[in-house]
């Protein structure tokens, strides 16, 4: 059995990158995410279990309605097994999450020291920061120095469980916007991507986020002027690509999602949270 590595509180603190304290806007509704067989849902963290309104994420809606393309099918088919393919996908997702966390710190004027490693909360381990992540940080800094963005919100949850007069959700999707920032006097919604470009998917994702932002925060902080993805490669290059706002297309995609996932009675899937098992076990009464 591998020996468990014990870290000091100082080591974990230096390798952790929580949300900075100087974020200007926080989510209107505190949310929690839950992974289901179909994908991720959001819900109000303070709501009682019986009152929780689970809303599917925009990325889950897209992954269940749009084909991933021939390149994805070839990659999956050429993998040794489905498990190997998913293990690799999770590994790449972790690299992406690490890049996002470190970039968030840079945006808010914090110092990132990669010699401290990166604390993975899921495994409880401090892992090295690979060169490809360091190069992505360099790519982000190149973008920052060229465009000089002023951050307004980071990793802000976009969720609204308001219903109309018929009892239907006004916005039956949710998501997390990477960055809301001012650039050249305009308000930008920027999603940071460490993978490949998927223009149609990304235009739809950004559109869904803008619709939610404008509804939740538009009156107070301004509506989104520009939608864009910041693609940062493992070679240290970046590309900032603007996307059109396509609300009608997004609504068509959402309608298709509902058609696909509803059962024969027109009901959405029932969400079940994982049962919290007790941590202490003891035989009650006297042993005979």
């Amino acid at each position: 059995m591998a020996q468990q590595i014990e870290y000091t509180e100082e080591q974990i603190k230096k390798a952790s990158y929580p949300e900075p304290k100087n974020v200007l806007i926080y989510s209107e509704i505190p949310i929690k995410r839950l992974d289901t067989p179909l994908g991720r849902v959001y819900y109000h963290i303070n709501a009682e279990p019986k009152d929780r309104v689970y809303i599917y994420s925009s990325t889950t809606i897209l992954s269940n309605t749009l084909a991933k393309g021939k390149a994805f099918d070839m990659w999956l088919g050429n993998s040794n097994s489905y498990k190997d393919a998913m293990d690799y996908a999770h590994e790449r997702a972790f690299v992406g999450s690490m890049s996002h966390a470190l970039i968030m710190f840079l945006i808010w004027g914090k110092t990132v020291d990669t010699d401290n490693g990166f604390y993975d909360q899921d495994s409880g381990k401090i892992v090295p920061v690979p060169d490809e992540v360091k190069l992505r940080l360099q790519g982000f800094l190149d973008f920052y120095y060229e465009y000089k963005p002023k951050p307004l919100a980071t990793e802000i949850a976009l969720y609204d469980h308001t219903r109309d007069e018929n009892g239907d959700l006004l916005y039956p999707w949710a998501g997390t916007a990477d960055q809301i920032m001012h650039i050249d006097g305009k308000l930008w919604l920027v999603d940071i991507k460490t993978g490949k470009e998927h223009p149609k998917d990304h235009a739809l994702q950004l559109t869904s986020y803008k619709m939610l932002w404008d509804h939740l925060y538009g009156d107070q902080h301004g509506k989104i002027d520009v939608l864009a993805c910041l693609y940062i490669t493992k070679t240290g290059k970046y590309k900032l690509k603007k996307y059109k706002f396509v609300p009608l297309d997004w609504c068509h995609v959402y309608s298709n999602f509902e058609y696909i996932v509803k059962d024969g009675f027109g009901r959405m899937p029932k969400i079940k949270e994982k049962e919290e098992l007790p941590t202490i076990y003891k035989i009650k009464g006297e042993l005979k």
Side-chain angles (χ1 to χ4, degrees):
M1 180 181 293
Q3 185 176 1
Q4 180 69 31
I5 301 175
E6 294 187 4
Y7 305 105
T8 65
E9 289 186 11
E10 186 64 19
Q11 284 177 308
I12 294 176
K13 182 179 179 181
K14 287 182 176 180
S16 299
Y17 294 89
E19 186 172 327
K21 297 294 184 181
N22 59 342
V23 175
L24 301 181
I25 301 176
Y26 289 92
S27 301
E28 287 282 336
I29 300 174
I31 61 91
K32 190 171 184 180
R33 302 173 184 87
L34 175 69
D35 291 327
T36 74
L38 278 178
R40 179 162 292 179
V41 295
Y42 288 63
Y43 65 90
H44 193 319
I45 196 171
N46 295 326
E48 293 295 327
K50 64 181 179 62
D51 298 324
R52 287 176 182 168
V53 179
Y54 300 99
I55 301 180
Y56 285 100
S57 71
S58 297
T59 51
T60 292
I61 292 166
L62 288 167
S63 66
N64 280 276
T65 51
L66 300 187
K68 297 183 183 296
K70 184 178 180 180
F72 175 83
D73 293 339
M74 291 178 64
W75 166 75
L76 188 60
N78 291 330
S79 300
N80 292 327
S81 68
Y82 180 77
K83 182 180 182 302
D84 286 346
M86 292 302 99
D87 286 345
Y88 176 77
H90 291 151
E91 177 186 324
R92 301 312 303 164
F94 177 69
V95 169
S97 297
M98 183 190 299
S99 300
H100 274 75
L102 300 182
I103 287 171
M104 176 183 70
F105 248 55
L106 289 178
I107 286 175
W108 290 99
K110 307 293 183 180
T111 299
V112 172
D113 186 348
T114 58
D115 280 343
N116 293 324
F118 184 85
Y119 181 61
D120 177 14
Q121 292 184 341
D122 291 337
S123 67
K125 296 179 180 179
I126 294 176
V127 298
V129 177
D131 286 348
E132 67 169 288
V133 172
K134 296 177 184 179
L135 287 166
R136 286 191 168 97
L137 296 182
Q138 292 180 16
F140 171 78
L141 288 174
D142 288 341
F143 154 77
Y144 185 89
Y145 293 135
E146 180 174 352
Y147 286 88
K148 299 177 176 59
K150 294 181 179 179
L152 179 63
T154 295
E155 294 287 328
I156 186 166
L158 303 172
Y159 170 98
D160 180 32
H161 54 201
T162 304
R163 296 183 182 274
D164 61 20
E165 62 275 10
N166 298 318
D168 297 324
L169 289 168
L170 289 175
Y171 293 89
W173 62 86
T176 301
D178 283 351
Q179 305 296 334
I180 308 294
M181 49 182 54
H182 292 282
I183 301 177
D184 293 333
K186 293 185 177 181
L187 190 60
W188 290 52
L189 192 161
V190 179
D191 206 69
I192 297 173
K193 302 291 187 185
T194 56
K196 296 181 180 180
E197 293 182 37
H198 296 285
K200 290 187 177 181
D201 294 56
H202 294 165
L204 290 164
Q205 179 188 357
L206 291 169
T207 291
S208 72
Y209 290 174
K210 170 177 163 56
M211 293 172 75
L212 284 167
W213 169 275
D214 289 352
H215 168 69
L216 293 168
Y217 304 101
D219 290 342
Q220 184 176 0
H221 299 287
K223 296 183 178 181
I224 300 297
D225 298 308
V226 182
L227 300 174
C229 282
L230 177 62
Y231 299 99
I232 307 179
T233 70
K234 60 183 179 181
T235 62
K237 305 296 182 183
Y238 83 86
K239 177 181 179 181
L240 185 65
K241 184 173 181 177
K242 297 180 183 179
Y243 283 103
K244 291 182 179 180
F245 180 51
V246 288
L248 186 59
D249 293 327
W250 168 252
C251 290
H252 287 327
V253 168
Y254 180 77
S255 295
N256 288 335
F257 171 73
E258 277 203 351
Y259 177 77
I260 291 169
V261 302
K262 282 183 175 179
D263 64 17
F265 298 96
R267 298 173 301 200
M268 294 290 284
K270 187 175 182 180
I271 305 298
K272 294 182 179 179
E273 295 189 43
K274 185 178 180 181
E275 180 184 0
E276 291 290 336
L277 298 174
T279 57
I280 298 176
Y281 295 82
K282 181 181 178 181
I283 297 176
K284 296 180 179 179
E286 296 183 4
L287 296 177
K288 295 182 180 180

